[in-house]
Amino acid sequence: MSVEAHSSDHIAPIKLYLAVFAALMALTATTIWVAFIDLGELNALAAVAIAVVKATLVILFFMHVKYSSKLTWLVVASGFLFLTILLALTMADVVSRGWLGTPGG
Amino acid sequence: MSTGHAGVDTRGDSSAGARAYAHQFDSAEHQHGTAQLGMWVFIAQEILFFGGLFLAYTVYRFMYPEAFAQASRHLDIVLGGFNTVVLIGSSLTMAIAVHGAQLGKRWMQVIFLLLTIFLGCVFLGVKAIEYGHKFHEHLVPGPNFRFDGDAGHAQIFFSLYFVMTGLHALHMVIGIAILGVLVWQAARGAYGRAYYSPVELTGLYWHFVDIIWIFLFPLLYLIGRH
């Protein structure tokens, strides 16, 4: 039980980490740049989309999920699945609340 | 259970022949994989913990988009952007520290863990300066709140700003404390190729905190700028 103990773990090269860091910096600059352009409703969408891409890079490479077991993928996906349910179902209520008007009013 | 955990040596490298894992596991890989999975379950829970705040933000921003845009313009993009670079940089140094642990390079671990702590402290220092500005500008929700515009709903924005960034900062304070212990242990040679779970799991936590900020920065600082 010595050197081989974690042979199952993938050891990513530092070059990869530097490339991911550079991509994250470029995306940070992009998100600031886009915020100053008037896209109407699309501004919020662009901000969230860029943040999702950045988070995905961090999760896949810095957090090694790209090289992790299917069980890890399942746990990560379940976290985001339940977050999506939380946001989607609540917003479905908030957004549609006024659609039918007030009864009797 | 007899006399303690016979043969358990979590220090790994030093003990050729001795088992480098606790008795309930089949192998060191099994133990490492279990620790990783446990950390991911914790992080999945953390996603939902912060998720409640992101939900509150989404609901109120949907209801009061103008007040949120006005209030957001009072945040400092330069300081926020600087902190984003600092925090992503700290994720890079953390990833390199884990890399050092995986290769059994003791001083590489120590140096990059210290760099991570340093960048974490820079982030918190800038955050403290920003909070100070908000107090001086009467932008802290409460009786002294003053705002030129929709003050009532701007207070909701600033309440969310302080709670979300505050909870994020609290996570960083905890992370820095854990990193301090890791530096101490790593300098003593506790982690090597055969056993580096604590370094890797702390890395997962640190990167998660980075991800929260990746969302907080555009959602709080960058609305209503055009």
Side-chain angles (χ1 to χ4, degrees), chain A residues 2-3 5-6 9 12 14 17 21 24 35-36 38 43-44 51 59 62-65 71-72 75-76 83 90, chain B residues 29 32 37 40 48 51 55 61 77 88-89 92 99 108 193-194 196 200 204 207 211 214-215 222 225-226:
Chain A
S2 58
V3 179
H6 290 314
D9 257 18
I14 286 183
Y17 292 141
F21 175 74
L24 291 171
F36 284 92
D38 191 355
N43 273 108
I59 290 169
F62 284 173
M63 298 170 97
H64 302 151
V65 167
L71 195 55
T72 304
V75 173
V76 177
L83 178 65
T90 311
Chain B
E29 285 123 87
H32 183 66
L37 186 67
W40 272 111
L48 293 170
L55 175 67
R61 182 169 165 188
I77 279 195
I88 293 175
L92 175 67
H99 183 82
M108 184 177 178
R193 288 186 212 198
Y196 56 83
E200 197 191 348
L204 290 179
H207 298 312
I211 289 173
I214 283 174
F215 282 93
L222 296 178
R225 292 289 175 175
H226 45 77

Side-chain angles (χ1 to χ4, degrees), chain B residues 25-39:
Chain B
F25 298 109
D26 290 335
S27 64
E29 285 123 87
H30 184 201
Q31 174 171 278
H32 183 66
T34 306
Q36 265 183 339
L37 186 67
M39 195 65 201

